[in-house]
Amino acid sequence: MVNRTYERVVNRAVRYRLFIDMASPKASVWKEKVSDEQYSKQPSASQGAKDMNKEPSAIKKNFGDFSPKLVQLTDDVLFGDVWERAELSKRDRSLVTVAALIAGGNSEQLPFHLQRAKENGVTEAELIETITHLAFYSGWPRAMSAITVAKEVFKK
């Protein structure tokens, strides 16, 4: 994925998007022809200004200087696109994510996602039941690690 910024240009009634690859040492620039529909879907200048004034994400604050590409993918693709898809509710996405983290033994990511699941409408009882259920499918040690994390998260 290329770090892109774009600008709208109208040249002889043909619309183009200009792209700048900021990750490239030479900052390469290219343009692509776009339809009127694509052109109208681009964010307005005022939207771009709003985005610039937005508070940086927690991951950007913690890792932005260390791993800017991972931060950009997390903010833009994972949370900006995948989590916003309408085919699953955020509540369902939270349950799936918590289950996948437990099954994969990734308990270090659980505090954030357990809290997010609660914010997305999953109850503590449902999360505890999910962990109990997963003990039989992903392993007892993983479930015990997860329940230990959940107990700490739910105390707060």
Side-chain angles (χ1 to χ4, degrees):
M1 182 175 280
V2 177
N3 182 10
R4 298 181 185 188
T5 56
Y6 54 85
E7 177 181 325
R8 295 181 201 151
V9 176
V10 177
N11 184 3
R12 298 183 193 175
V14 177
R15 294 176 183 190
Y16 296 94
R17 251 185 308 191
L18 293 181
F19 294 93
I20 304 169
D21 181 355
M22 301 303 286
S24 168
K26 295 181 181 178
S28 57
V29 177
W30 70 95
K31 67 181 181 179
E32 294 176 5
K33 197 177 200 181
V34 294
S35 68
D36 288 341
E37 182 181 346
Q38 289 172 311
Y39 180 80
S40 65
K41 286 185 179 180
Q42 300 305 319
S44 66
S46 64
Q47 180 63 42
K50 286 179 194 172
D51 289 344
M52 290 181 70
N53 294 327
K54 209 166 71 171
E55 179 74 20
S57 67
I59 192 167
K60 187 167 190 164
K61 288 178 187 175
N62 290 324
F63 301 106
D65 292 339
F66 187 70
S67 182
K69 189 60 177 182
L70 183 60
V71 168
Q72 185 231 339
L73 291 169
T74 302
D75 286 345
D76 297 348
V77 179
L78 178 59
F79 290 112
D81 181 22
V82 175
W83 271 88
E84 297 302 319
R85 293 173 54 83
E87 290 78 10
L88 281 178
S89 69
K90 287 187 180 181
R91 181 185 190 287
D92 290 348
R93 286 186 194 283
S94 283
L95 271 175
V96 169
T97 301
V98 167
L101 291 172
I102 294 167
N106 298 303
S107 58
E108 68 280 352
Q109 295 290 309
L110 276 177
F112 172 82
H113 284 286
L114 288 168
Q115 187 58 45
R116 186 175 178 101
K118 286 175 58 178
E119 292 165 6
N120 288 333
V122 183
T123 67
E124 289 181 10
E126 289 171 319
L127 289 165
I128 292 167
E129 186 61 26
T130 299
I131 295 167
T132 303
H133 186 75
L134 285 169
F136 294 92
Y137 289 93
S138 63
W140 210 263
R142 289 182 176 176
M144 293 305 293
S145 294
I147 205 69
T148 302
V149 171
K151 184 176 180 183
E152 286 301 310
V153 169
F154 298 164
K155 271 188 206 179
K156 299 174 184 176

